[in-house]
Amino acid sequence: MEQEAVNLPKDKKADENAGTNEIIQLVTFTLGSEEFALDILKVQEINRMVEITKVPKAPNFVEGVINLRGKVIPIVDIRKKFHLNLKESTKDTRIIVVNILGKTIGLIVDSVSEVLRINSNTIQPPPPLVASLDSDYIKGVGKLDDRLIILLDIDKIFTTGEHNLIESTIK
Amino acid sequence: MIDDSMKEIINDFVQEALELLDTLSENFIELEKNPEDKELLNTIFRAAHTIKGSAGFLGFQNLVELAHSAENILNRLRQGEIKLTSDMMDYLLKTMDILMLMIRNINDTGQEGDFDNAEIINKLNMLALDEGGTGNTAAAGEQNTAAEDIEKKAEAEAQIKIQEQNEEKAKKKENLDDKDSKIEKTLNPTNKTNNNEKHPKRKVRNLGDILLEDNLMSSDELSQILKEKEKEEKKEESIEIESISNIVPPQPQMHPAVSVSAETTIRVDVERLDNVMNLVGELVLSRNRIFNIASKLEFKYPEDEFTESLIQVVSNLNLITTDLQLAVMKTRMQPVKKVFSKFPRMVRDLSKELGKEIELNIAGEETELDKSVIEEIGDPLVHLIRNSIDHGIEMPEDRIKAGKPKAGLIKLSAEHEGNYIIIEVSDDGKGMDPNILRKKAIEKGLIDEKTAFSISDKDALSLIFAPGFSTKDKVTEISGRGVGMDVVKTNIQKLNGIIDIESEKGKGSDIILKLPLTVAIIQTLIIGIEDEVFAIPLNSVVETLRISESSIQTIDNHEVINLRKSVLSLLRLSEEFGIESASESASDGKAKVLSNKEVYVVVVALAEKRIGIVVDTLYGQEEVVIKSLGDYQFGYKGISGATITGDGKVVLIMDIASMIDILQKR
């Protein structure tokens, strides 16, 4: 295959040696019918849905906060962020706890499928528009048999403004 | 050059010296009142001497010189050779200030720094020699007899006396500066070689050298004294080992306080304590959760034997955790004396400057409170006391005219009240006139005329806390900028404290601060709006009311209620937080006001302000550990933090200061 390999932060070699068989591990999850993936190194843990405490006047994509073993972390409904139709949580709903630029944040997803070992050269650069998402935070699209997996760049998921909203505003 | 172990030694020195200086300036003020108190003079002398000794050991020569000059005066005072004058006290206090500066400098840089103390040293020496000119020979004679007493008196006083005696004699031959440099010469070489040796021993040897050098004593006499000394030291050591330290009189050169308490106290890094505190916080949360689960199990399986033993274990755990929490909190507790001790000096200096006579009465300085609270109350108290001195207490002649005693009285007291500490600053000065305050506030453009005269007298008193408020037309060194009371308000708010002012014209003012004992674990009132639960720090809660919606009135679009003849502004939490009401979403606003639904009003107060918060439900009181939302504030100030309740849920803690702000800005 002669596709350009995607520049992964932890896999710099993949860029230089495009076409080599670099194995990367991804956590895949679903939102509606689409399948997404995150670099496993960005994922701290995956939890079942718990009761979320709403935070008054928080930005609308912030669902609230939860207690993560004594630490209070914010929860983002990724459906709201991606402007997808909202969905009631089910028994499959999961919270993926990720580290974004040093902050611990929980993401609500419909379900978590599996941990995938995938050859980096099967990942293609993102097409201009995928599932009505902006493409900045899409790292690429992985092809696996007949499945199409959208690889997200978690660090780019929030705009600077959104980060500032989540982050401290104390003087 | 300075390695870590040296740094540690210097740190210890700085800590000790600062503590000693604190007590010193306190003692000095005390001394001014009772100049004849020999015991007090001795204590002061010992403290000064300890500072000098340690500084010499570490080679801070400037410090030693200054301390030495002060010590000279103190010694002569102690011997009754000179009388304490107000002038002398001023210079002694000034010396303490300079010493404090120098030691701070050592703390910051590790170096002594360039301080030119020649002037003050000269002055101190003059003072020491003053009067002494005539009494010099008599003094020397007196000390000769003292020297003979050495053999009989098996106590440390002798040690100093040898030194003093030598100094007195040396004075006859040389001037002070020369002698100092001589002592230095003899001290320094031994310093290098004898660093490991015991402190007092080194001193004695040096003194011996000097004595011989100046032909003041034959070597026979000297060796006899040295033997005496050694015997004494051995005795001391053995006694100390048995730790019957009471039998031995305080040893001036042995750092009296330290040698006795060294075995019972230990300095701990605050960070470590904070860490322990956090862990205990986590433990408290877990206990709450287990407690919750256990009570649910008990309800579900009342007869089960395992449930029963679980309940037993849990209640045991409960006890232990509570004790542990208290114990850890205690480690962070410090007596409020730490803050109070600087006020006598301040009152003395300021009243002198203003030509007033003021007595400061301190009570309850042994009251303990959390370190973080201690750190924050210093500044507010300074401003409150300055205020009392400057604005409260009248000039002596005015006081006499008003039929009051000539000297004004400022009372500073601290006491515990449940989980709070009450600090009160009161004076018997001229008090505050609400009408004058109103006028000034209008003049300064802080409020408009209409509001000024609609507020109650008590609220008018609160005007003094407005930033920029001052009744003075001229800015003086002491006050007039209108900053002080604002500082008081801000700091007290930061601590979730409440300020209460009482003042009667002509009789005096009374300012009461009510502060929580600790800041990490707090009592909260858990309230509900629709399905959502929030916590209000209980120390801000004054009372809760159950009122009918129909009793809510509207003034200028603000919802208020009439509470015991004063008007209380209301904040509807459901509106503020944007929580939609399930039952009322259909009906419009007017219907809501007219409805007879009962709601709860939580009356909260912060610093000097009070508002009512309208909520749906009151769940009760819970002790919670504050978790900072830290990185995640979502740009909203109304929430100060979060906590995890017994059932593992996150509950947000409301920030009362912002709530009051929000309501005021509307």
Side-chain angles (χ1 to χ4, degrees):
Chain A
M1 281 182 142
E2 289 193 16
Q3 278 99 13
E4 226 183 289
V6 175
N7 190 2
L8 291 170
K10 302 281 172 191
D11 285 332
K12 275 209 176 109
K13 275 182 190 161
D15 196 29
E16 290 153 21
N17 314 322
T20 55
N21 296 337
E22 201 79 38
I23 299 291
I24 54 170
Q25 291 193 58
L26 301 172
V27 176
T28 67
F29 60 90
T30 61
L31 286 177
S33 55
E34 311 275 2
E35 207 171 349
F36 294 85
L38 288 174
D39 186 349
I40 200 166
L41 294 169
K42 294 280 174 193
V43 177
Q44 182 187 317
E45 63 189 90
I46 296 162
N47 291 327
R48 284 175 193 281
M49 193 64 180
V50 293
E51 196 171 338
I52 294 172
T53 304
K54 284 193 186 121
V55 179
K57 306 253 168 121
N60 79 318
F61 59 90
V62 174
E63 196 62 16
V65 290
I66 62 159
N67 161 28
L68 185 75
R69 292 185 304 279
K71 233 177 112 182
V72 178
I73 64 161
I75 300 298
V76 169
D77 191 340
I78 212 157
R79 276 180 169 267
K80 274 190 192 160
K81 179 71 193 69
F82 289 171
H83 306 293
L84 301 173
N85 295 329
L86 298 187
K87 197 179 157 231
E88 284 289 301
S89 66
T90 66
K91 67 176 178 33
D92 289 327
T93 307
R94 292 289 182 275
I95 294 173
I96 303 182
V97 181
V98 293
N99 288 309
I100 303 179
L101 303 174
K103 305 262 177 311
T104 311
I105 294 177
L107 307 173
I108 303 175
V109 299
D110 288 356
S111 71
V112 171
S113 329
E114 61 188 323
V115 174
L116 211 60
R117 294 170 71 87
I118 188 171
N119 201 319
S120 62
N121 59 16
T122 61
I123 298 173
Q124 300 171 8
L129 266 179
V130 181
S132 72
L133 302 176
D134 290 332
S135 55
D136 336 343
Y137 45 74
I138 296 173
K139 250 184 205 170
V141 177
K143 261 192 197 160
L144 199 77
D145 305 326
D146 55 344
R147 286 156 76 189
L148 259 186
I149 298 165
I150 303 163
L151 181 55
L152 295 177
D153 184 348
I154 199 73
D155 289 339
K156 289 192 187 140
I157 240 174
F158 299 104
T159 61
T160 323
E162 286 169 340
H163 260 295
N164 289 341
L165 271 179
I166 297 172
E167 276 170 32
S168 159
T169 50
I170 315 169
K171 277 145 251 176
Chain B
M1 174 67 204
I2 297 174
D3 55 23
D4 277 356
S5 65
M6 196 58 195
K7 226 182 228 165
E8 215 166 279
I9 293 170
I10 291 180
N11 269 346
D12 282 351
F13 162 69
V14 168
Q15 287 299 332
E16 190 191 352
L18 287 179
E19 271 165 30
L20 282 169
L21 282 174
D22 267 353
T23 14
L24 264 180
S25 64
E26 210 179 318
N27 288 343
F28 271 129
I29 304 296
E30 187 70 20
L31 185 70
E32 201 169 33
K33 283 182 208 144
N34 315 305
E36 299 302 318
D37 191 337
K38 278 269 178 303
E39 198 46 52
L40 194 60
L41 261 167
N42 278 332
T43 319
I44 293 176
F45 183 80
R46 279 195 294 264
H49 197 82
T50 308
I51 294 175
K52 186 181 102 173
S54 323
F57 175 71
L58 292 165
F60 295 128
Q61 266 328 310
N62 280 336
L63 241 171
V64 173
E65 266 171 45
L66 187 56
H68 179 80
S69 307
E71 205 187 273
N72 274 341
I73 296 188
L74 290 171
N75 189 42
R76 303 205 61 187
L77 281 172
R78 199 166 63 111
Q79 311 268 347
E81 291 163 26
I82 47 174
K83 286 256 174 300
L84 182 74
T85 61
S86 168
D87 198 26
M88 202 182 278
M89 181 57 80
D90 283 344
Y91 277 99
L92 282 172
L93 286 172
K94 211 167 164 189
T95 310
M96 294 303 129
D97 288 343
I98 296 174
L99 285 175
M100 187 81 91
L101 274 175
M102 291 173 88
I103 290 167
R104 292 249 160 82
N105 195 47
I106 290 171
N107 192 29
D108 295 341
T109 62
Q111 306 285 325
E112 221 173 359
D114 286 331
F115 283 89
D116 187 14
N117 299 325
E119 197 182 321
I120 186 138
I121 289 178
N122 264 338
K123 186 70 202 173
L124 286 170
N125 288 344
M126 293 266 292
L127 283 168
L129 289 173
D130 228 26
E131 269 191 56
T134 48
N136 216 358
T137 40
E142 193 185 297
Q143 291 201 350
N144 272 334
T145 51
E148 282 157 26
D149 281 350
I150 290 174
E151 289 165 68
K152 290 175 211 156
K153 280 190 184 176
E155 59 166 43
E157 292 290 304
Q159 207 171 338
I160 295 172
K161 273 186 182 153
I162 301 173
Q163 192 186 10
E164 302 324 327
Q165 179 193 19
N166 164 60
E167 281 165 8
E168 285 293 325
K169 283 182 179 169
K171 222 180 272 168
K172 288 176 190 163
K173 295 181 178 180
E174 303 147 4
N175 68 35
L176 268 169
D177 288 347
D178 273 359
K179 190 206 56 177
D180 270 355
S181 64
K182 208 161 208 169
I183 293 177
E184 267 165 49
K185 252 188 259 162
T186 39
L187 275 175
N188 278 338
T190 29
N191 255 352
K192 274 166 200 152
T193 50
N194 288 354
N195 261 350
N196 293 333
E197 251 180 275
K198 254 197 140 188
H199 199 150
K201 207 168 175 180
R202 175 168 59 82
K203 268 270 153 77
V204 170
R205 175 175 296 183
N206 293 336
L207 285 169
D209 287 346
I210 300 166
L211 287 169
L212 285 175
E213 203 174 317
D214 287 357
N215 287 326
L216 293 171
M217 209 178 252
S218 70
S219 48
D220 282 350
E221 273 178 298
L222 180 70
S223 57
Q224 199 189 339
I225 292 173
L226 277 177
K227 257 185 224 152
E228 281 283 333
K229 256 349 277 183
E230 234 147 90
K231 228 193 277 168
E232 240 174 67
E233 267 174 25
K234 271 194 196 131
K235 203 167 91 196
E236 277 162 27
E237 275 169 32
S238 60
I239 290 173
E240 256 190 8
I241 289 165
E242 290 165 55
S243 68
I244 316 172
S245 36
N246 287 343
I247 296 171
V248 185
Q251 303 292 312
Q253 305 231 348
M254 291 275 297
H255 309 260
V258 178
S259 64
V260 178
S261 58
E263 295 142 30
T264 51
T265 59
I266 169 173
R267 282 184 203 278
V268 181
D269 196 335
V270 179
E271 220 169 88
R272 290 189 194 181
L273 278 185
D274 286 347
N275 196 16
V276 174
M277 193 72 186
N278 280 342
L279 289 173
V280 170
E282 292 292 314
L283 191 65
V284 169
L285 289 180
S286 298
R287 181 214 48 198
N288 287 356
R289 293 193 63 177
I290 292 185
F291 198 72
N292 214 312
I293 294 168
S295 25
K296 275 181 189 155
L297 275 177
E298 193 187 17
F299 184 72
K300 206 167 174 186
Y301 309 103
E303 300 301 318
D304 196 279
E305 95 185 78
F306 284 116
T307 322
E308 218 161 87
S309 37
L310 177 70
I311 292 291
Q312 257 176 28
V313 173
V314 166
S315 55
N316 204 6
L317 179 73
N318 198 7
L319 274 177
I320 297 168
T321 332
T322 311
D323 283 357
L324 178 66
Q325 196 184 327
L326 268 178
V328 173
M329 266 164 67
K330 272 222 176 104
T331 62
R332 293 172 50 99
M333 293 291 202
Q334 288 178 319
V336 76
K337 188 173 186 207
K338 221 181 145 193
V339 181
F340 281 12
S341 63
K342 64 179 166 190
F343 294 129
R345 167 86 192 273
M346 197 183 91
V347 171
R348 175 193 182 272
D349 287 0
L350 278 180
S351 52
K352 220 171 167 187
E353 205 174 300
L354 293 167
K356 294 181 179 177
E357 271 180 52
I358 298 173
E359 200 180 307
L360 178 69
N361 205 333
I362 294 182
E365 53 183 355
E366 68 290 339
T367 315
E368 290 192 326
L369 65 167
D370 194 85
K371 189 179 158 294
S372 48
V373 183
I374 292 258
E375 280 162 5
E376 295 288 342
I377 58 166
D379 286 350
L381 287 180
V382 168
H383 289 296
L384 287 176
I385 292 176
R386 284 174 89 110
N387 223 39
S388 285
I389 298 171
D390 199 20
H391 302 281
I393 306 286
E394 313 92 324
M395 297 303 282
E397 51 268 31
D398 296 336
R399 288 185 65 86
I400 292 169
K401 256 183 240 161
K404 292 181 189 176
K406 197 171 152 210
L409 181 67
I410 295 180
K411 274 196 239 167
L412 175 63
S413 69
E415 61 175 335
H416 280 296
E417 192 188 287
N419 274 331
Y420 301 91
I421 180 168
I422 311 284
I423 296 179
E424 204 174 332
V425 179
S426 60
D427 63 60
D428 64 348
K430 54 177 177 264
M432 289 183 271
D433 184 340
N435 284 326
I436 293 180
L437 296 179
R438 283 189 181 107
K439 269 183 212 140
K440 284 281 171 188
I442 297 167
E443 240 170 67
K444 306 241 166 194
L446 297 168
I447 49 171
D448 55 66
E449 226 161 294
K450 195 178 141 213
T451 347
F453 289 97
S454 65
I455 55 177
S456 67
D457 279 2
K458 187 144 183 155
D459 288 339
L461 291 180
S462 303
L463 284 171
I464 61 167
F465 293 107
F469 183 86
S470 175
T471 51
K472 284 246 163 138
D473 298 316
K474 254 198 335 217
V475 174
T476 67
E477 201 183 315
I478 300 166
S479 66
R481 281 177 217 284
V483 180
M485 291 297 116
D486 189 34
V487 170
V488 173
K489 188 180 77 176
T490 323
N491 281 29
I492 301 304
Q493 269 186 0
K494 222 194 279 175
L495 294 168
N496 287 318
I498 297 175
I499 307 176
D500 203 17
I501 318 171
E502 271 161 34
S503 185
E504 199 176 328
K505 203 180 159 191
K507 290 262 176 74
S509 314
D510 193 355
I511 295 176
I512 301 155
L513 310 179
K514 189 177 177 189
L515 302 164
L517 281 185
T518 175
V519 284
I521 298 176
I522 59 163
Q523 292 281 344
T524 58
L525 176 69
I526 308 286
I527 54 111
I529 305 133
E530 296 301 322
D531 299 339
E532 284 169 47
V533 179
F534 295 92
I536 301 177
L538 200 63
N539 49 35
S540 312
V541 177
V542 181
E543 61 183 319
T544 57
L545 315 164
R546 191 182 158 96
I547 57 158
S548 155
E549 288 264 9
S550 56
S551 64
I552 297 179
Q553 294 160 346
T554 315
I555 300 177
D556 275 354
N557 268 333
H558 290 291
E559 284 185 311
V560 298
I561 52 165
N562 199 331
L563 176 63
R564 287 187 291 276
K565 287 183 190 153
S566 84
V567 176
L568 187 74
S569 306
L570 295 184
L571 179 75
R572 280 186 190 268
L573 219 50
S574 49
E575 277 171 27
E576 172 54 28
F577 284 171
I579 297 166
E580 276 175 32
S581 154
S583 54
E584 282 167 20
S585 52
S587 60
D588 61 1
K590 257 183 198 164
K592 199 160 74 186
V593 177
L594 291 174
S595 82
N596 260 332
K597 193 185 145 195
E598 300 234 301
V599 291
Y600 290 97
V601 174
V602 181
V603 182
V604 293
L606 196 66
E608 81 293 1
K609 292 185 188 115
R610 270 153 221 260
I611 63 163
I613 294 176
V614 181
V615 303
D616 292 343
T617 331
L618 297 179
Y619 288 111
Q621 188 179 331
E622 191 163 324
E623 190 179 55
V624 302
V625 179
I626 300 177
K627 300 265 169 195
S628 164
L629 276 177
D631 289 341
Y632 315 109
Q633 290 274 323
F634 309 113
Y636 181 56
K637 290 216 172 72
I639 299 295
S640 65
T643 188
I644 293 154
T645 51
D647 50 6
K649 252 175 61 178
V650 177
V651 169
L652 300 173
I653 302 169
M654 288 170 42
D655 186 33
I656 297 303
S658 318
M659 289 295 147
I660 292 174
D661 262 10
I662 288 165
L663 193 62
Q664 273 181 340
K665 278 187 190 131
R666 276 198 189 159

